[in-house]
Amino acid sequence: MKSIAETIGRVPLFQGLDPENLKEIIAICERRSVQKGEMIFTDGDVCNGFYVVESGKIKVFKISFGGKEQILHIYGAGKPFGEVPVFTGKSFPASSVAVSNASLIFFPRKRFVDLISTHPNLALNMLAVLSMRLKEFTVMVENLALKEVPARLASYLMALYRDQDRPGSVSLPVSKTQLAGILGTTPETISRILARLTGQGFIRVDNRLITLVDPDSLAEISEGE
Amino acid sequence: MKSIAETIGRVPLFQGLDPENLKEIIAICERRSVQKGEMIFTDGDVCNGFYVVESGKIKVFKISFGGKEQILHIYGAGKPFGEVPVFTGKSFPASSVAVSNASLIFFPRKRFVDLISTHPNLALNMLAVLSMRLKEFTVMVENLALKEVPARLASYLMALYRDQDRPGSVSLPVSKTQLAGILGTTPETISRILARLTGQGFIRVDNRLITLVDPDSLAEISEGE
DNA sequence: GGTAGGTCTTGTTTTTAGTCAAGGTAAAAT
DNA sequence: ATTTTACCTTGACTAAAAACAAGACCTACC
């Protein structure tokens, strides 16, 4: 297993700090292992600190009264999560669960805030993290409020296409059921739309591997026609 | 008209700073007046800085391909907006327009970042602002993805009810058309749901004044039954 | 005081996607 | 190897809200 120091050295949140600062950060954090399916925090919990994913995957989500789930983020190695209440002083605004066995690094709230107050670069990095997240939410709201499900799905595929760089295909990082949770719809609807796009010759689907036969048309669909 | 110093002294973002720091902040900002309907920035614009509302109201929104508008926020006096790209280094992720004549205070990006790096309290305040906004987005996504329009409208009314403190009524701060834009629906649907809630005896509507006859039932509706 | 422009309401129709139900596939556990 | 369980697909039905359309209301300005 990697050392905490090694992990932290690669986390974007901690880039641009000198080794001295990194040491101080390492001094306040602690490792925590979680099993697949284990809750990390629950909507409304008081917050004692935040986490960085060392390995594995965790999801952050909201549950409705009726039990429907909206996934807000799925985070892998190097991503911080759960920081919002560190700075608002309130409780967690969503829940979080491990979707695979995972190793997390925990940063206690009080001590981390002290560090931030004395390390401007760390503060700026954290501001950048939160700002990026706001931007992502902006896109998410746009998708939910202004686009229909096919456009959301097409956007998602095109975004994957840009991020991953396989030749003409993308590999879904999550199950189709979870994809439905990300896109704010149901597995049935996802299934139907994938079938339709396949019928129209825009994509080919083989389990989690999706071949983008006609990325241009897909890009158009992602804009909402 | 108030002085910039007076205005800035009341802005939560600048609370807890000593007078010396406030002076430095005042030194870098400038006032800008905008007319009702004037665009302040457009989705995709490069960002030279952010704003604080001194007076008037501005809205931040996204427009879809088909011209439908989703309002992300409406900000009044004392609220900062447009800060996201200051810290991501990217362009504005949404557009902004004055919904009334307004006076803004502009903070140039570079100089403000310099200030933040040297004033930990300012950094923490800004972190709190962004974190609160993330929390608000979380609620927004929850509403859009997990609730139907009546529940969203009821949530909105209940939130107003908590914020304003009139006896048993709330006053809409925006037109019903704009309310539709905030809730991710159409004016027709708003109109129908208000009519339905009135018919059920839960509210009474008189232009922008809404009397909450039965707040408990409304609270239930806001949870999604 | 009348007219113009924006806002709001109401009715009708259409679209979208959610729900319910059942069957199929595939991977994992025993 | 077989049973279990999770995941996915397809079909039929239903519900919710958008689109379209027309008329009412209101306010503001000539």
Side-chain angles (χ1 to χ4, degrees):
Chain A
M1 190 191 280
K2 279 189 295 192
S3 71
I4 288 191
E6 246 180 292
T7 301
I8 284 184
R10 295 159 193 270
V11 172
L13 174 60
F14 303 121
Q15 291 309 302
L17 305 179
D18 48 42
E20 183 55 36
N21 300 154
L22 283 179
K23 262 199 202 147
E24 297 177 68
I25 290 169
I26 290 160
I28 69 163
C29 69
E30 48 196 80
R31 199 181 247 136
R32 178 176 160 195
S33 287
V34 290
Q35 298 281 307
K36 175 174 176 173
E38 190 176 328
M39 292 294 290
I40 296 153
F41 51 77
T42 300
D43 197 347
D45 279 358
V46 298
C47 160
N48 301 311
F50 75 102
Y51 301 85
V52 168
V53 180
E54 181 172 34
S55 68
K57 261 192 207 169
I58 73 94
K59 82 175 168 194
V60 177
F61 62 100
K62 279 266 185 187
I63 288 279
S64 77
F65 185 81
K68 195 182 162 196
E69 167 182 306
Q70 174 66 41
I71 296 176
L72 300 179
H73 321 275
I74 293 193
Y75 291 125
K79 302 292 183 186
F81 69 99
E83 345 68 341
V84 165
V86 168
F87 305 109
T88 60
K90 306 255 170 68
S91 55
F92 288 105
S95 304
S96 172
V97 73
V99 295
S100 70
N101 290 347
S103 171
L104 308 176
I105 299 177
F106 176 76
F107 297 83
R109 185 181 164 201
K110 175 105 187 45
R111 301 180 76 183
F112 186 77
V113 169
D114 288 347
L115 267 189
I116 279 220
S117 337
T118 50
H119 297 75
N121 280 339
L122 184 54
L124 284 172
N125 283 353
M126 185 55 94
L127 285 166
V129 166
L130 297 186
S131 295
M132 278 306 301
R133 199 151 302 163
L134 279 166
K135 192 185 167 115
E136 287 163 23
F137 266 126
T138 275
V139 172
M140 195 159 182
V141 168
E142 175 182 22
N143 285 338
L144 287 170
L146 301 178
K147 291 182 181 174
E148 304 188 333
V149 185
R152 284 182 231 161
L153 178 53
S155 295
Y156 184 86
L157 293 177
M158 292 307 290
L160 277 187
Y161 191 44
R162 275 188 290 276
D163 292 353
Q164 301 176 2
D165 79 314
R166 294 157 179 277
S169 65
V170 300
S171 163
L172 296 180
V174 296
S175 74
K176 284 168 195 160
T177 302
Q178 281 187 318
L179 180 55
I182 292 171
L183 299 180
T185 182
T186 59
E188 292 96 320
T189 298
I190 291 292
S191 200
R192 280 185 244 274
I193 294 172
L194 286 176
R196 190 158 93 220
L197 292 174
T198 303
Q200 293 170 317
F202 297 153
I203 61 174
R204 246 170 309 122
V205 181
D206 177 22
N207 285 315
R208 285 195 185 180
L209 184 74
I210 298 184
T211 308
L212 306 189
V213 179
D214 183 351
D216 294 346
S217 298
L218 221 53
E220 272 178 37
I221 292 170
S222 76
E223 299 298 331
E225 244 80 351
Chain B
M1 188 192 279
K2 278 188 295 190
S3 71
I4 288 191
E6 246 181 293
T7 301
I8 284 185
R10 295 160 194 271
V11 171
L13 174 60
F14 302 121
Q15 290 310 302
L17 304 178
D18 48 43
E20 182 56 36
N21 300 153
L22 284 179
K23 262 200 202 148
E24 298 177 68
I25 291 169
I26 290 160
I28 68 164
C29 68
E30 48 196 80
R31 199 181 247 135
R32 179 177 160 194
S33 287
V34 289
Q35 297 283 306
K36 175 174 177 173
E38 192 176 326
M39 292 293 291
I40 297 153
F41 52 77
T42 301
D43 196 348
D45 279 358
V46 298
C47 160
N48 301 311
F50 75 101
Y51 301 85
V52 167
V53 180
E54 182 172 32
S55 66
K57 262 191 207 171
I58 72 93
K59 82 176 167 193
V60 177
F61 63 101
K62 279 266 186 186
I63 286 280
S64 77
F65 185 81
K68 195 182 162 195
E69 167 182 307
Q70 173 67 40
I71 296 175
L72 300 178
H73 321 274
I74 293 194
Y75 290 125
K79 303 292 182 184
F81 68 101
E83 344 70 340
V84 165
V86 168
F87 304 109
T88 61
K90 306 256 169 70
S91 56
F92 289 104
S95 304
S96 171
V97 72
V99 294
S100 70
N101 290 347
S103 171
L104 308 176
I105 300 176
F106 175 76
F107 297 84
R109 185 181 164 201
K110 174 105 189 44
R111 300 179 76 181
F112 186 77
V113 169
D114 288 346
L115 267 189
I116 278 218
S117 335
T118 50
H119 298 75
N121 279 340
L122 184 54
L124 285 172
N125 283 354
M126 185 55 95
L127 284 165
V129 165
L130 297 186
S131 294
M132 277 306 300
R133 199 151 303 163
L134 279 166
K135 193 187 166 114
E136 286 164 23
F137 266 125
T138 275
V139 172
M140 196 160 183
V141 168
E142 175 182 21
N143 285 339
L144 287 170
L146 302 177
K147 291 182 180 174
E148 304 189 332
V149 184
R152 285 182 231 161
L153 178 53
S155 296
Y156 183 86
L157 293 177
M158 293 307 292
L160 278 187
Y161 190 44
R162 275 187 291 276
D163 293 353
Q164 301 177 2
D165 78 317
R166 295 157 179 274
S169 65
V170 300
S171 162
L172 295 180
V174 296
S175 74
K176 283 168 195 159
T177 303
Q178 281 187 319
L179 180 56
I182 291 171
L183 299 180
T185 183
T186 59
E188 293 96 318
T189 298
I190 292 291
S191 199
R192 278 184 243 275
I193 293 171
L194 286 175
R196 191 158 91 218
L197 292 174
T198 303
Q200 294 170 318
F202 297 153
I203 60 174
R204 245 169 310 122
V205 180
D206 178 21
N207 285 315
R208 287 196 184 179
L209 184 74
I210 298 183
T211 308
L212 307 188
V213 179
D214 183 352
D216 294 345
S217 298
L218 220 52
E220 271 177 38
I221 292 169
S222 76
E223 300 297 332
E225 244 84 348

